[in-house]
Amino acid sequence: MKIAVEGCCHGELDMIYETIQFLEKKENTKVDLLLCCGDFQAVRNEGDMNCMAVPPKYRQMQTFYKYYSGEKKAPILTIFIGGNHEASNYLQELPYGGWVAPNIYYLGYASVVKYRGVRIGGISGIFKGHDYRKGHFECPPYTTDTMRSAYHVRNIEVFKLKQLKEPMDVFMSHDWPRSIYHYGNTMQLLKKKQFFRLEVENSTLGSPAAAELLNHLQPSYWFSAHLHVKFAAFMQHQNDVEGQLPKATKFLALDKCLPRRDFLQVVEVEHDPSKPDCVEYDLEWLCVLKATRKLLNVTRQTWNMPENNGLHSRWDYSATEQVRQEVLNDLDNDLKIPVNFSMSVPCYNPNNPQKKMVASHAVNPQTTEFCARFGLIDINARILQQDDEGGELEATEDHDEDSSGSLEDPSEYSTDTSILSSSINPDEITLEDDDDEEDLPVQSVNPSPENTTDLPTSVSNVRVLPESMALSSDDAMDSTNDELERSESSQTEGEGKNSERPLKRLSDENGRGGVRIKRRNQAIYTANDEDNE
């Protein structure tokens, strides 16, 4: 099965579909599925556009509304995750996933589905330590803070994905798993994006939560976007089962949809010809959703997930045979995801623009039906309920003291934001601190000689990688990079870039030189850092 993988979409659906059709004609082939790795921008109208966490100059209607209204239909099945520049009010209507338009499926905060027997998972948003342990509490009208925190990854989603035990074929995240750059051509990456040098040297670039999922899920393919650069890597995982070959993950990150950029690539993945040509629920994932329904948190309160540390009577929420049978009964043994899209708000009309339209906060009938079928709670509806009651729920009614996390337990990741990364990707949309990756504690080790080929010569410290991840040989890296380097890109509308801003050379506390970009509105950043402390 041929899968087209797309980096950051930025609303350019027309151009992406045209590019795929061009490739099909050129190569005399047929693409079966399109996967988009975030910043999809499912903007239905002016109200949605005002919910996008981007500077006003980037708030453009683009072309999604045509697919939402039915004026156009996606020529190829499209599955996507959310990024950090989305119309969050619409995506929040579908926390468990659903159709945002005919033939375009959103995976929700986190989800797993199957298509032609290929198991596809994903997690939406980007990692920010200060929001990681909070609940999904945000809703329109957003403040400047909640407009950003709405797309920050939460620990509940990572916890649910870590309950999965069955093999994963494909997984998507918007930001990269932390340290994945040590498994590819790091020197080439730094030639393209010199601003990443300090983070790469300190192993602080990317998401620690995604790295944890990569170590646990060990999918055959992992696709990402966010950093607006193409990068391939090959990770050989440590073999935990004697007599079995170790698993390996082919990682590929792609650029955004712009002229002469590597934003699209076709990958061939093995599938089961006997499986139906439609999107199906993943049975194990539905069992995990059912088992973890009592862990829901829709407040700003921080909440740790259960662990096997003597404090919780239950910490294993993996699928059991009993729950599997319950879910199959709920589905009447039919795993096909219903094609039940319906418009929930008025669509943009270019002949009658509504510049003062207010963002909607609606309950989506797809989510209502899904929750009723499996006995789950509609997060969005619960938030609306607490708004109607005039306050924030202290905790969800379904929390079980014995089985839920403690409010006082320390987080598995540092939430200290007093030490922020010093570099900014000038090719990314600048929005206050969302382009700053938070530094987490780094443990220094000396890289082994056989694994330093692709690392910059100035690297003196690298983060200790999990024991279950073994660096692949240079030959394996090179062959995988060669395989994944065949990419096609096409032309689309230009986007404003900040790459011409002057750079300022600074030194870090160890005296090593690093490239930094002088921040605009420095007072704002200073205030934010003080608040975080």
Side-chain angles (χ1 to χ4, degrees):
M1 180 172 75
K2 287 183 169 56
I3 298 177
V5 184
E6 209 281 330
C8 292
C9 180
H10 290 300
E12 296 283 4
L13 279 181
D14 280 356
M15 188 56 61
I16 292 168
Y17 291 136
E18 288 170 8
T19 303
I20 293 175
Q21 291 171 344
F22 171 79
L23 288 174
E24 289 178 328
K25 186 176 180 180
K26 178 182 177 183
E27 304 293 336
N28 191 25
T29 188
K30 177 64 178 175
V31 173
D32 303 287
L33 175 68
L34 169 64
L35 299 180
C36 296
C37 300
D39 284 357
F40 189 81
Q41 297 182 1
V43 179
R44 303 165 293 183
N45 54 38
E46 294 89 344
D48 288 355
M49 188 165 58
N50 291 330
C51 288
M52 283 204 305
V54 297
K57 67 178 180 178
Y58 292 112
R59 287 180 178 164
Q60 301 173 7
M61 193 57 62
Q62 302 293 15
T63 57
F64 171 78
Y65 75 92
K66 299 177 182 178
Y67 299 87
Y68 177 76
S69 68
E71 177 184 342
K72 292 186 174 183
K73 182 179 179 181
I76 179 174
L77 174 63
T78 302
I79 298 176
F80 75 97
I81 56 171
N84 59 316
H85 300 303
E86 305 285 3
S88 295
N89 63 315
Y90 186 20
L91 298 189
Q92 280 191 267
E93 293 181 14
L94 300 164
Y96 302 104
W99 302 100
V100 297
N103 221 28
I104 303 177
Y105 191 85
Y106 167 55
L107 284 179
Y109 290 132
S111 189
V112 182
V113 298
K114 287 184 177 179
Y115 180 67
R116 293 186 177 179
V118 177
R119 198 175 194 212
I120 302 167
I123 186 166
S124 294
I126 61 172
F127 176 85
K128 288 293 175 180
H130 53 271
D131 289 321
Y132 183 66
R133 294 188 297 142
K134 295 178 182 178
H136 292 288
F137 65 90
E138 300 88 351
C139 67
Y142 297 116
T143 65
T144 54
D145 288 333
T146 59
M147 186 180 293
R148 290 175 291 166
S149 66
Y151 54 71
H152 291 164
V153 170
R154 304 298 155 89
N155 60 352
I156 179 63
E157 316 304 342
V158 175
F159 179 80
K160 287 186 286 190
L161 287 166
K162 286 181 66 180
Q163 305 307 305
L164 300 175
K165 297 180 179 179
E166 297 173 3
M168 185 74 64
D169 298 309
V170 175
F171 197 84
M172 293 186 288
S173 66
H174 187 58
D175 45 0
W176 299 14
R178 183 160 291 182
S179 295
I180 191 64
Y181 29 83
H182 293 315
Y183 296 86
N185 192 330
T186 315
M187 288 292 290
Q188 185 181 42
L189 172 65
L190 294 177
K191 284 180 181 178
K192 295 178 182 177
K193 298 286 185 178
Q194 59 177 308
F195 312 99
F196 298 158
R197 180 172 292 276
L198 287 179
E199 286 93 339
V200 168
E201 290 178 354
N202 296 322
S203 287
T204 55
L205 181 67
S207 165
E212 185 177 353
L213 287 175
L214 175 59
N215 181 37
H216 175 80
L217 297 173
Q218 300 183 7
S220 299
Y221 295 89
W222 186 297
F223 302 126
S224 297
H226 189 47
L227 297 184
H228 293 170
V229 62
K230 181 184 178 183
F231 180 76
F234 183 83
M235 173 180 285
Q236 188 82 49
H237 300 280
Q238 184 174 344
N239 187 12
D240 296 325
V241 182
E242 189 174 342
Q244 290 186 6
L245 292 174
K247 293 183 180 179
T249 297
K250 294 179 180 179
F251 173 83
L252 177 64
L254 290 166
D255 208 330
K256 57 182 174 180
C257 185
L258 279 179
R260 297 173 296 280
R261 305 288 280 267
D262 293 322
F263 67 85
L264 186 72
Q265 182 158 325
V266 177
V267 177
E268 188 148 356
V269 178
E270 290 186 10
H271 73 289
D272 186 345
S274 67
K275 296 298 182 180
D277 186 14
C278 63
V279 186
E280 294 184 295
Y281 291 123
D282 182 85
L283 180 58
E284 186 186 21
W285 176 249
L286 292 180
C287 292
V288 170
L289 288 182
K290 247 190 146 169
T292 58
R293 62 186 181 275
K294 292 185 178 181
L295 300 180
L296 178 66
N297 177 15
V298 292
T299 76
R300 298 173 186 264
Q301 293 178 348
T302 57
W303 197 266
N304 282 330
M305 293 297 102
E307 297 179 65
N308 184 11
N309 56 8
L311 300 176
H312 310 101
S313 61
R314 183 182 182 186
W315 57 87
D316 185 351
Y317 290 81
S318 56
T320 64
E321 191 57 40
Q322 178 183 348
V323 178
R324 287 175 186 270
Q325 195 56 52
E326 290 176 3
V327 171
L328 285 174
N329 291 338
D330 293 338
L331 292 168
D332 294 327
N333 292 306
D334 182 8
L335 289 169
K336 181 180 178 181
I337 295 178
V339 182
N340 55 355
F341 166 77
S342 62
M343 292 177 59
S344 53
V345 299
C347 187
Y348 169 71
N349 182 353
N351 297 321
N352 185 26
Q354 304 290 324
K355 295 183 179 179
K356 296 183 178 180
M357 181 176 287
V358 178
S360 66
H361 185 199
V363 174
N364 196 294
Q366 291 184 70
T367 305
T368 302
E369 180 182 335
F370 182 84
C371 291
R373 197 170 194 181
F374 301 107
L376 304 178
I377 297 173
D378 184 344
I379 299 172
N380 199 41
R382 178 61 67 88
I383 296 173
L384 276 171
Q385 175 190 344
Q386 75 182 30
D387 285 349
D388 292 340
E389 293 172 355
E392 184 174 283
L393 298 175
E394 292 185 2
T396 61
E397 298 174 4
D398 298 305
H399 271 308
D400 184 328
E401 184 177 353
D402 289 333
S403 62
S404 59
S406 165
L407 290 170
E408 284 139 13
D409 291 343
S411 172
E412 57 267 53
Y413 303 121
S414 168
T415 56
D416 178 19
T417 58
S418 60
I419 306 174
L420 293 179
S421 162
S422 60
S423 68
I424 297 175
N425 180 4
D427 205 23
E428 168 70 302
I429 297 174
T430 302
L431 181 72
E432 296 187 7
D433 69 348
D434 269 338
D435 294 312
D436 297 323
E437 293 291 321
E438 296 174 25
D439 284 340
L440 298 182
V442 175
Q443 189 173 354
S444 297
V445 297
N446 293 322
S448 57
E450 65 270 22
N451 293 327
T452 58
T453 304
D454 287 331
L455 296 179
T457 55
S458 61
V459 172
S460 57
N461 297 309
V462 298
R463 187 178 181 84
V464 174
L465 301 176
E467 292 181 358
S468 60
M469 298 181 182
L471 281 172
S472 62
S473 68
D474 292 338
D475 290 340
M477 287 187 197
D478 292 340
S479 63
T480 304
N481 277 302
D482 290 342
E483 176 187 349
L484 294 178
E485 278 294 324
R486 304 185 195 97
S487 171
E488 296 286 343
S489 61
S490 71
Q491 295 185 349
T492 183
E493 278 186 29
E495 180 178 318
K497 291 180 279 188
N498 300 326
S499 56
E500 300 303 320
R501 284 185 288 167
L503 302 182
K504 184 178 180 180
R505 174 71 65 177
L506 298 176
S507 297
D508 63 13
E509 59 185 6
N510 296 321
R512 292 176 300 180
V515 179
R516 295 179 60 182
I517 296 178
K518 189 173 182 181
R519 285 173 164 173
R520 297 171 297 169
N521 301 323
Q522 184 67 34
I524 295 177
Y525 287 95
T526 303
N528 284 342
D529 291 350
E530 290 174 354
D531 290 342
N532 288 332
E533 291 176 7

